[in-house]
Amino acid sequence: MTVKEMIQGADLEVKAAANCLDTEVTGGYSGDLISAVIANAEEGNVWITWHVHPNIVAAALVVKLAAIILISGRQPEEETVKKADEEGIPILVSKQPAFAIIGKLNNMGIMGEK
Amino acid sequence: MTLREIAELLDAEVLVGEDKLDMEIERVCVTDLMSEALVFSQPGALLLTGLTNPQTVRTAEVAELRAVCFVRGRRPPDETIELAREKGIPLLCTPVLMYDSCGLLYNRDLQGCSPER
Amino acid sequence: MVKRTRLMRSQELIYEMRVAEVMTKDVVTVTPKTSMSKFGDILRSKRISGTPVVSGGFLVGIISIEDFINWLEKGSKKARVKQCMTEKVITVFDDEPLAQVISKLEHYRYGRLPVIDRDSKKLVGLVTNGDIIEGLLHKVERVHNEEEIRRHQASNIFDDIIVDQTTLIYEYRVIGKDFKQAGAGTSRLRKTLSRLEIHPQVLRRAAIVAYEAEMNIVIYTDGGDLFAKVEPGMITIVARDKGPGIENIELALTPGYSTAEDWVRQLGFGAGMGLCNIKKVSDEMFLDSSVDDGTRLEARIAI
């Protein structure tokens, strides 16, 4: 499944890098510790997080994440959007809390641990 | 859904609160940020977190969360367990990742914690 | 089904509790005809400093050890209580709220007041500062919390009430950098507030404020104090420390801004949400800080 298909299926809104939505999503990762994402997430994962600051883009680049989803109506900081656009990391937002978003993605076949 | 059913579903070990497994859980708060759990949770929720320090129990107490489940097989230190016993807050420990824990629980008549206002 | 939760604040207790609930019923009295020498014997044997004077169940005066001393100095040997007592007595009715009694005791600077039954007008008891303290303590079950008792001797609680008429103040010490103990002050405060039957939503907000404030002290300073003031219509939480102070308050209040070190972030704090959370759940927040003097945070929650 591509990022674009995931966006449609889970009713997400694109906030950055709208031209980079064809990446294949390999799975999902959830957690709010940036060091843990870097240590545990896999390439092509979509990361569900609360954080909105530019460091999330840096972490996404390190792991080569397919996209970042911000939860509970959180909006990315300006600097985050700028950096994400530059680096081609899609930032997606949802009003739903993490639990509901992950549940939906999971039902769509985006799994966590392989 | 009862805490017992959640524990079985997540293959979780019960570290504290064997006697409280019949309590009903209706909501799940998923986060590694205690400040998020404090303000964006609803009383009575189960806290699903990767953090195991005693402050998870304090947070549960302050935000009136019903129980805490540690994900990714992370076992809490003794002081966390002691504090949970003292406060009567059940602690579970599941080997399942946070993401997959949500996946397993999502279709079981549980809700997330939406922002309060 | 809407269940209405009764809002009962600590200070409401002194409005809600009546004299009859705390007064001493077993009162030593004398009659106008009692001889002064007999009165002296009573003072000595009962170890009291005065008694109401009663005739046929009705209060007709009050007599104290001072009257006794005056009598010893210049009174006639055969004098009776009637000649030495004070006839104009300040009294309270048994159905008056404690607040009324507290203000009367304070205003007249008396140690005790006779209690009169409103219907029969007869003397039914005596109320002292001590009775009120004991009654309040019993009501809020504070006796079980030894730590708070140590911090706040009973007399202290009474002083607080006298000073502000209706305010209760709690104080907790917070140790800096002690992550294991962090939150203990909040925990105790929460317990105390819940005993005062504060509305659950208010209680939760107050606990969140106290916890974030306490965590800030633990994370960023070498320690400080947490205060909670409960008064009519308001809970005020104050967190005070001696430094290092916040360099840029405006920046510190920006959501997500944080100067926390990595160890703090690894523990789930320091995400730049603490002060925002406090602001969010309180009705008013004041933050004063200087690099030299430390930080004082005050948050108010209406009840």
Side-chain angles (χ1 to χ4, degrees):
Chain A
M1 181 186 303
T2 64
V3 173
K4 192 182 270 171
E5 287 162 342
M6 177 184 75
I7 291 169
Q8 285 157 0
D11 196 18
L12 305 169
E13 192 187 331
V14 185
K15 287 287 173 182
N19 51 348
C20 303
L21 307 179
D22 295 324
T23 322
E24 195 67 22
V25 177
T26 58
Y29 182 86
S30 163
D32 301 302
L33 296 177
I34 296 199
S35 55
V37 182
I38 293 172
N40 299 314
E42 306 273 343
E43 183 175 345
N45 277 185
V46 54
W47 176 27
I48 294 92
T49 187
W50 166 272
H51 289 300
V52 295
H53 51 76
N55 285 355
I56 58 174
V57 180
L61 277 176
V62 173
V63 192
K64 295 188 180 155
L65 296 176
I68 302 170
I69 300 177
L70 307 183
I71 58 161
S72 297
R74 300 272 290 163
Q75 294 296 322
E77 288 172 18
E78 224 172 279
E79 187 64 24
T80 309
V81 173
K82 202 173 136 217
K83 213 166 161 188
D85 276 333
E86 277 168 24
E87 303 291 350
I89 303 284
I91 305 249
L92 317 170
V93 298
S94 168
K95 286 203 167 60
Q96 306 259 8
F99 183 70
I101 297 168
I102 297 169
K104 255 188 218 171
L105 295 182
N106 200 79
N107 284 354
M108 288 161 58
I110 299 171
M111 308 310 253
E113 211 167 15
K114 280 174 204 162
Chain B
M1 194 173 187
T2 65
L3 195 56
R4 186 188 310 282
E5 290 166 324
I6 290 174
E8 279 164 13
L9 192 62
L10 298 180
D11 193 21
E13 184 186 343
V14 180
L15 303 172
V16 176
E18 278 285 356
D19 55 326
K20 292 186 172 160
L21 294 180
D22 291 323
M23 62 166 61
E24 276 294 324
I25 302 286
E26 287 165 13
R27 283 182 187 277
V28 185
C29 174
V30 183
T31 188
D32 288 331
L33 298 172
M34 293 307 119
S35 291
E36 183 193 349
L38 282 173
V39 174
F40 289 90
S41 66
Q42 271 102 359
L46 165 74
L47 175 63
L48 213 56
T49 184
L51 291 183
T52 56
N53 66 74
Q55 298 311 317
T56 53
V57 176
R58 290 275 185 225
T59 299
E61 183 197 8
V62 168
E64 293 161 25
L65 307 179
R66 205 158 281 170
V68 179
C69 178
F70 302 113
V71 296
R72 261 193 278 145
R74 295 198 49 181
R75 288 190 68 89
D78 290 345
E79 58 255 29
T80 302
I81 294 179
E82 277 162 32
L83 189 63
R85 274 206 192 107
E86 185 190 317
K87 301 294 173 192
I89 296 172
L91 294 186
L92 308 182
C93 177
T94 172
V96 185
L97 288 183
M98 188 188 274
Y99 186 94
D100 293 307
S101 299
C102 294
L104 287 168
L105 294 173
Y106 183 67
N107 299 317
R108 295 303 189 95
D109 203 24
L110 289 166
Q111 286 188 304
C113 286
S114 312
E116 258 177 347
R117 28 183 154 161
Chain C
M1 189 180 67
V2 180
K3 195 178 154 199
R4 194 169 269 254
T5 311
R6 192 161 64 110
L7 245 176
M8 188 158 93
R9 312 172 206 105
S10 64
Q11 58 289 135
E12 273 186 353
L13 277 181
I14 67 171
Y15 293 109
E16 288 190 3
M17 287 180 76
R18 306 287 146 171
V19 179
E21 292 177 66
V22 304
M23 69 184 186
T24 305
K25 289 183 187 126
D26 192 12
V27 187
V28 177
T29 60
V30 293
T31 72
K33 289 179 187 162
T34 307
S35 71
M36 283 307 282
S37 57
K38 178 83 191 297
F39 172 63
D41 291 343
I42 292 172
L43 291 187
R44 237 186 327 272
S45 64
K46 303 279 182 189
R47 299 190 174 278
I48 52 178
S49 57
T51 71
V53 184
V54 176
S55 177
F58 294 98
L59 183 77
V60 294
I62 196 155
I63 186 157
S64 71
I65 195 160
E66 277 177 34
D67 299 321
F68 182 72
I69 291 166
N70 282 338
W71 170 74
L72 280 181
E73 276 178 12
K74 47 198 170 196
S76 123
K77 235 178 176 182
K78 285 183 182 163
R80 299 189 180 270
V81 164
K82 190 175 176 18
Q83 284 105 50
C84 304
M85 70 183 190
T86 308
E87 284 179 32
K88 206 167 164 250
V89 187
I90 307 297
T91 60
V92 290
F93 286 119
D94 63 343
D95 60 356
E96 281 187 60
L98 293 187
Q100 202 87 19
V101 188
I102 291 170
S103 91
K104 271 188 187 169
L105 283 168
E106 170 75 348
H107 184 258
Y108 295 105
R109 306 214 162 268
Y110 288 156
R112 66 179 70 74
L113 292 172
V115 184
I116 307 294
D117 182 277
R118 194 181 285 276
D119 300 324
S120 69
K121 303 287 186 278
K122 287 189 174 178
L123 180 80
V124 288
L126 206 60
V127 64
T128 66
N129 285 350
D131 294 332
I132 295 172
I133 294 166
E134 209 171 294
L136 281 173
L137 283 177
H138 188 70
K139 193 82 170 186
V140 299
E141 290 176 324
R142 289 186 56 133
V143 253
H144 296 306
N145 195 332
E146 287 175 8
E147 188 152 0
E148 274 168 23
I149 291 288
R150 239 187 297 126
R151 280 174 184 277
H152 265 262
Q153 289 300 319
S155 61
N156 248 337
I157 295 169
F158 195 69
D159 285 345
D160 290 344
I161 295 171
I162 290 290
V163 169
D164 290 315
Q165 292 293 318
T166 53
T167 304
L168 290 178
I169 295 171
Y170 304 95
E171 181 184 350
Y172 306 92
R173 182 136 307 221
V174 182
I175 302 163
K177 307 291 186 293
D178 184 351
F179 210 77
K180 280 180 197 168
Q181 285 304 309
T186 299
S187 189
R188 289 206 303 272
L189 172 63
R190 200 180 158 275
K191 215 182 255 175
T192 301
L193 292 182
S194 67
R195 272 206 298 274
L196 299 179
E197 294 185 34
I198 304 271
H199 188 282
Q201 277 166 19
V202 172
L203 172 65
R204 189 168 187 259
R205 287 164 65 202
I208 290 171
V209 166
Y211 188 45
E212 291 281 14
E214 186 174 359
M215 290 312 296
N216 279 346
I217 294 178
V218 172
I219 292 168
Y220 298 105
T221 80
D222 291 329
D225 294 295
L226 191 65
F227 302 89
K229 188 168 84 174
V230 185
E231 61 193 317
M234 186 79 75
I235 295 180
T236 306
I237 290 169
V238 175
R240 216 172 46 186
D241 65 64
K242 289 210 184 306
I246 300 169
E247 268 180 49
N248 186 335
I249 289 186
E250 206 181 318
L251 201 55
L253 287 169
T254 311
Y257 176 83
S258 175
T259 57
E261 292 168 38
D262 202 46
W263 67 270
V264 176
R265 293 178 192 267
Q266 293 298 330
L267 292 166
F269 284 88
M273 294 167 68
L275 290 172
C276 303
N277 276 358
I278 293 172
K279 205 170 168 184
K280 184 172 177 154
V281 300
S282 58
D283 293 307
E284 274 185 292
M285 183 182 99
F286 308 92
L287 185 61
D288 296 304
S289 186
S290 84
V291 174
D292 295 326
D293 302 331
T295 303
R296 184 183 183 280
L297 177 137
E298 179 175 333
R300 297 179 187 167
I301 299 170
I303 44 182

